[in-house]
Amino acid sequence: MRVVFLGAPGVGKGTQADRIAAQFKVLKISTGDLLREAVRNKTALGLEAKSSMDQGKLVPDSVVIGLVRDKLTDPGCAKGFILDGFPRTVAQAESLGQVLNAAKTPLNRVINFQVPRADIVKRLSGRRSCPKCQATFHVDFAPSKTGAACDRCGEALVQRSDDKPEAIETRLKVYEEQTAPLIRYYGNQRLLTDIDGSGPVDTVFEALFGVLAPFHAV
Ligand code: AP5
């Protein structure tokens, strides 16, 4: 299974990527998680990426493409992968296509999550994340047991710096300008499947499962 999860910030890509990766035992590759890890570790890449991320802008293509190329060589990818939040520009999509075609492992599907804007803003502003294990919660829709600590590892939950109102606005604008063109790009390649992401997590998962199960052994 080789799949891309596409969609605006907050549509539930990461939540569903975790569940699909566990269900089908494939690797989840989230460029957002990789970049946040680099920021936490204060690597040169992290230092370069931090200010763009805090403002809700995209990190330069060259940086992100390099990260994903490295990850795709991970032996864990042989069983399949879910790319969560990559590609986000046409240049990234073209570069991904070149890498996968050269390895004769083309994408099976691109899932386009659709959620109304008002719901997206509620989801992002109420999200709480674990800085240690990356688990994601929501103060209303998916609260942790204590509200303050991660259910998985006990670390104190935080609000992401880009989940503040001004950064959310910028991220939604950046999505429309730079990422939404990928809907047509992958539509033209007949790879796109739209999924209604506005229902409860379990309902969205069932719909996704139905679309992706045929690619399980591919
Ligand atoms: P990234 O981490 O990828 O952020 P994003 O795409 O903006 O996506 P999010 O993580 O905000 O949302 P999501 O769709 O995963 O939703 P989630 O499941 O968490 O990127 C962050 C930054 O890194 C970017 O702004 C950019 O700077 C940089 N970056 C990353 N990739 C890049 C790239 N390729 N190129 C350049 N720069 C890049 O859910 C959100 C909330 O909703 C959670 O609280 C969750 O519990 C809740 N929720 C989920 N599903 C449901 C549901 N069905 N019902 C109710 N609540 C739900």
Side-chain angles (χ1 to χ4, degrees):
M1 175 189 294
R2 296 177 296 276
V3 187
V4 164
F5 280 6
L6 183 67
V11 291
K13 303 180 297 293
T15 301
Q16 297 296 339
D18 283 337
R19 292 189 62 166
I20 292 288
Q23 174 76 36
F24 293 111
K25 301 198 173 22
V26 295
L27 207 65
K28 167 188 158 184
I29 302 175
S30 157
T31 41
D33 286 350
L34 292 172
L35 288 165
R36 279 185 289 277
E37 189 184 348
V39 169
R40 271 196 309 281
N41 293 337
K42 297 192 169 60
T43 64
L45 189 153
L47 294 175
E48 185 183 348
K50 186 174 184 325
S51 103
S52 305
M53 294 176 75
D54 284 347
Q55 293 172 64
K57 296 181 179 163
L58 293 186
V59 172
D61 284 339
S62 56
V63 172
V64 189
I65 289 169
L67 264 183
V68 173
R69 269 179 196 267
D70 285 352
K71 264 295 180 201
L72 288 173
T73 60
D74 185 317
C77 281
K79 282 191 187 160
F81 55 80
I82 302 164
L83 282 165
D84 163 17
F86 180 93
R88 257 168 148 104
T89 63
V90 171
Q92 291 178 17
E94 287 172 344
S95 170
L96 175 67
Q98 284 161 12
V99 171
L100 296 181
N101 288 339
K104 297 196 169 39
T105 53
L107 290 174
N108 304 124
R109 219 69 315 252
V110 174
I111 304 293
N112 179 35
F113 290 80
Q114 297 176 314
V115 175
R117 186 186 170 100
D119 293 355
I120 288 179
V121 173
K122 269 189 226 154
R123 287 186 186 185
L124 291 177
S125 41
R127 173 166 52 189
R128 296 295 178 269
S129 311
C130 175
K132 193 169 168 195
C133 75
Q134 318 307 323
T136 299
F137 302 88
H138 190 280
V139 290
D140 298 317
F141 308 135
S144 79
K145 289 194 185 90
T146 65
C150 176
D151 287 347
R152 272 198 221 158
C153 71
E155 189 78 5
L157 298 177
V158 296
Q159 183 174 36
R160 270 172 44 176
S161 52
D162 60 349
D163 280 344
K164 308 273 163 62
E166 320 77 69
I168 290 175
E169 280 307 310
T170 306
R171 286 160 69 198
L172 290 170
K173 190 161 174 274
V174 165
Y175 167 77
E176 285 304 332
E177 290 171 0
Q178 299 191 56
T179 307
L182 292 179
I183 295 172
R184 175 176 287 192
Y185 179 88
Y186 283 122
N188 288 342
Q189 297 181 24
R190 302 196 178 285
L191 281 171
L192 201 75
T193 299
D194 291 334
I195 286 275
D196 177 2
S198 64
V201 172
D202 286 348
T203 309
V204 179
F205 176 76
E206 278 165 31
L208 262 180
F209 183 90
V211 173
L212 296 179
F215 303 110
H216 178 29
V218 178

